[in-house]
Amino acid sequence: MIQKSIKKLLDYGCNTGLIETTDRIYVSNLLLDLFRLNDYEEPVEETDSSDLEIILKELLDYAAEQGILEADSIGYRDLFDARIMNCLVPMPSQVIHKFHELYKESPQAATDYFYKFSQDTDYIRRYRIKKDLKWTTDSPYGKIDITINLSKPEKDPKAIAAAKTAKQTGYPKCLLCKENEGFAGSLTHPARLNHRIIPITINQSDWGFQYSPYVYYNEHCIVFNGEHTPMKINHAAFCKLFDFIKQFPHYFIGSNADLPIVGGSILSHDHFQGGHYQFAMASAPIEEHYTIPGYEDVETGIVHWPLSVIRIRHKDSDRLIQLADHILDTWRAYTDESACIYAETEGEPHNTITPIARKVGDTFELDLALRNNITTEEYPLGVYHPHQELHHIKKENIGLIEVMGLAVLPSRLKDEIEQLADAILNKKDLRADETLEKHADWIENILPKHETLTEKNIMEILQEEIGQVFVKVLEDAGVYKVTKEGREAFARFINTL
């Protein structure tokens, strides 16, 4: 069986273009060494090499049975299957060369190749991504994307126990460092043996281009600084965004804010996220235009969006960078106590921006989402953060991806939705259930809106209501609310520019 499984993997490598026919003997010998085998005679019968998940399962099962794996758990399996795939993955220089050759044809040809490659190598695990739950919700701001992320494996007890005694190192310094390329990994750091990075130059500095292994949307890429340096929204960041867009005009690119609460999960390493996807925010129209003195040639307006977004448009990206600098500097120092906007308290800065750049036709666009991370006794996690009554659905920070209109909800919700559906249909007491109790108030509020609840419609209703909760999450994150008073306060800021 192991020889048949090896043949399947070799066929898979040839069919995907990871290896060529002339590589088969070399790669088969790498696999023999990995599986501690002394000989190999390739089976003559035809095999199905189309399903990588099945092939890897067969190989991992064999490794577990033979004691090659330290333990038969998802943590050790994930480390070992990266070693398996590494036998098929070309050297970085080969991948970079092919990317550059295709880039001469077009930027999209290059990214199409690299995106498929990153999936074929199992760095992006297609079979896990397809398990994610996805749907859309209608809102006053357009169709909002909702996802429940199931592609990150839950840590198993054996891995957790082993990690406690594992020696801690500072290499790589974080998940975004270039030293991850080819790293074998550990129970506390994912294996990246089958990971490849494309070096790029933006704003005259060395950066890396790769895809997210969890692809929350189409061609979800990460562009990261070659040095391990903290996130910073400034003039250079705006320059880098547009430098990237000029090299890859079919992609958008954005940055998380550079302050806790309103920033992303990794503030220690300067990076952007982009991709080939049209988010609801990008489709949202400008609801009111403004003219900024000195920038009369730049189209400027407030976007019809729950977060407070200023959109600026011009064919010359330098003009957008100049105005973005002006808006950022003004916002960093801006206080409006009547609107609960404080630039700083006790020396701690609160105002920053989440910027997103794109090119539409021959015109550059830059969306600037105004952010503020102030906390109070009433809102200890943040005034402009999901409020407590929404934490049963979303408690985590609202980063770049959510700002643009895509909810990345915790995996626990998959089971909780199923349990809620059963409890509602069978009229169970939610407050008596430790897991479902947090949803009780929400369910009591939404049930009167739905006259008929059946096995056929209950999941669709719950998904729709979860979507509406996320819309409220976005509204909570807006420093200026979509109300008469909120828009008047927003206008006060713009009039100071």
Side-chain angles (χ1 to χ4, degrees):
M1 281 298 296
I2 181 61
Q3 298 204 352
K4 188 175 180 181
S5 298
I6 288 174
K7 180 180 186 298
K8 287 182 185 179
L9 187 64
L10 293 170
D11 289 345
Y12 172 86
C14 289
N15 293 338
T16 57
L18 291 176
I19 64 172
E20 297 182 17
T21 303
T22 50
D23 298 321
R24 288 185 77 105
I25 293 175
Y26 174 79
V27 175
S28 64
N29 283 329
L30 292 179
L31 292 167
L32 294 185
D33 179 60
L34 190 60
F35 287 97
R36 304 173 188 173
L37 298 169
N38 296 319
D39 57 68
Y40 175 67
E41 184 173 343
E42 186 158 294
V44 294
E45 67 265 28
E46 291 294 317
T47 58
D48 181 6
S49 62
S50 61
D51 194 327
L52 181 60
E53 182 180 16
I54 291 175
I55 298 171
L56 289 176
K57 183 180 184 305
E58 292 173 357
L59 293 168
L60 289 167
D61 286 348
Y62 175 86
E65 291 165 5
Q66 298 300 312
I68 298 172
L69 296 185
E70 189 170 329
D72 189 10
S73 68
I74 192 166
Y76 287 104
R77 279 176 167 254
D78 280 1
L79 291 172
F80 195 76
D81 70 12
R83 294 181 64 191
I84 295 172
M85 292 306 299
N86 187 47
C87 295
L88 280 69
V89 181
M91 293 291 285
S93 58
Q94 296 174 268
V95 179
I96 293 165
H97 176 74
K98 185 164 185 178
F99 184 91
H100 286 163
E101 286 299 306
L102 288 168
Y103 188 89
K104 294 175 185 176
E105 179 184 323
S106 73
Q108 186 164 345
T111 57
D112 283 351
Y113 152 72
F114 190 48
Y115 188 54
K116 179 180 180 296
F117 171 86
S118 298
Q119 296 173 82
D120 290 341
T121 62
D122 206 41
Y123 164 69
I124 297 173
R125 300 171 187 264
R126 289 185 180 105
Y127 45 89
R128 286 187 184 167
I129 302 298
K130 70 181 182 182
K131 294 177 183 177
D132 291 349
L133 299 182
K134 300 181 179 182
W135 68 93
T136 60
T137 293
D138 289 329
S139 80
Y141 315 101
K143 280 192 180 297
I144 305 296
D145 292 308
I146 310 294
T147 67
I148 296 178
N149 182 260
L150 303 172
S151 54
K152 286 186 180 181
E154 299 291 334
K155 289 186 177 179
D156 57 85
K158 289 181 181 178
I160 293 171
K164 289 180 180 178
T165 58
K167 182 181 178 181
Q168 298 298 310
T169 71
Y171 181 89
K173 291 179 180 177
C174 77
L175 292 170
L176 293 177
C177 286
K178 60 187 178 184
E179 288 80 11
N180 281 280
E181 186 176 42
F183 186 62
S186 67
L187 293 174
T188 58
H189 193 109
R192 292 290 182 255
L193 285 163
N194 51 344
H195 175 42
R196 297 295 180 263
I197 296 166
I198 304 297
I200 62 173
T201 301
I202 54 175
N203 197 34
Q204 301 177 324
S205 56
D206 295 332
W207 284 57
F209 172 84
Q210 65 181 53
Y211 289 101
S212 165
Y214 307 115
V215 287
Y216 294 134
Y217 51 84
N218 187 49
E219 297 179 48
H220 177 184
C221 70
I222 299 173
V223 183
F224 62 93
N225 198 314
E227 301 297 324
H228 183 76
T229 186
M231 297 280 294
K232 189 66 179 173
I233 302 300
N234 55 16
H235 172 79
F238 297 138
C239 292
K240 290 166 186 170
L241 292 176
F242 282 112
D243 205 357
F244 178 86
I245 290 295
K246 289 172 185 176
Q247 295 179 54
F248 301 95
H250 58 300
Y251 275 13
F252 79 88
I253 190 80
S255 175
N256 271 303
D258 54 358
L259 293 178
I261 297 176
V262 295
S265 57
I266 302 179
L267 293 177
S268 61
H269 196 129
D270 195 15
H271 70 285
F272 306 135
Q273 295 181 78
H276 201 180
Y277 190 72
Q278 182 80 1
F279 284 89
M281 190 181 81
S283 301
I286 290 177
E287 66 179 44
E288 187 168 359
H289 283 82
Y290 290 84
T291 300
I292 309 301
Y295 301 92
E296 291 83 0
D297 56 321
V298 181
E299 182 183 354
T300 304
I302 292 175
V303 179
H304 183 62
W305 193 244
L307 279 93
S308 307
V309 179
I310 299 172
R311 177 170 296 158
I312 54 179
R313 306 180 76 246
H314 202 282
K315 292 183 179 180
D316 182 357
S317 62
D318 287 344
R319 289 295 286 157
L320 297 186
I321 292 169
Q322 291 164 12
L323 179 51
D325 285 342
H326 178 48
I327 293 171
L328 175 64
D329 290 344
T330 305
W331 177 245
R332 290 248 194 229
Y334 185 75
T335 291
D336 181 353
E337 294 185 8
S338 66
C340 196
I341 304 295
Y342 294 87
E344 59 87 22
T345 55
E346 299 179 356
E348 179 186 351
H350 296 304
N351 290 347
T352 186
I353 278 176
T354 299
I356 302 101
R358 67 185 75 88
K359 192 174 186 182
V360 181
D362 61 353
T363 302
F364 292 103
E365 284 187 358
L366 183 62
D367 284 350
L368 302 169
L370 307 182
R371 312 299 300 277
N372 180 288
N373 75 344
I374 195 168
T375 60
T376 64
E377 287 187 9
E378 185 180 3
Y379 299 112
L381 296 182
V383 173
Y384 305 108
H385 178 86
H387 290 174
Q388 285 91 325
E389 68 272 15
L390 308 178
H391 288 179
H392 64 106
I393 298 296
K394 177 72 173 178
K395 184 179 182 179
E396 298 77 15
N397 292 354
I398 303 305
L400 172 66
I401 295 172
E402 286 92 354
V403 165
M404 295 185 292
L406 189 153
V408 181
L409 301 180
S411 58
R412 63 173 170 82
L413 284 175
K414 177 184 181 294
D415 291 337
E416 290 177 14
I417 293 172
E418 293 171 356
Q419 293 172 38
L420 278 171
D422 175 71
I424 291 168
L425 293 175
N426 292 290
K427 297 181 170 53
K428 296 180 181 178
D429 181 6
L430 298 182
R431 298 185 189 281
D433 187 305
E434 186 177 347
T435 301
L436 302 182
E437 181 185 12
K438 59 180 172 288
H439 298 295
D441 289 343
W442 170 58
I443 294 298
E444 287 173 5
N445 286 331
I446 67 173
L447 285 184
K449 295 163 54 179
H450 305 281
E451 292 182 6
T452 305
L453 297 169
T454 67
E455 287 187 10
K456 289 185 177 181
N457 69 8
I458 185 65
M459 292 302 288
E460 183 179 343
I461 287 171
L462 286 173
Q463 287 184 349
E464 171 61 24
E465 293 293 348
I466 287 171
Q468 295 307 316
V469 170
F470 182 68
V471 173
K472 292 178 182 176
V473 164
L474 294 180
E475 290 173 339
D476 280 353
V479 294
Y480 297 115
K481 307 309 176 188
V482 188
T483 61
K484 180 175 179 293
E485 295 76 17
R487 284 323 195 218
E488 287 174 352
F490 202 163
R492 286 199 299 274
F493 168 69
I494 292 180
N495 289 332
T496 66
L497 295 172

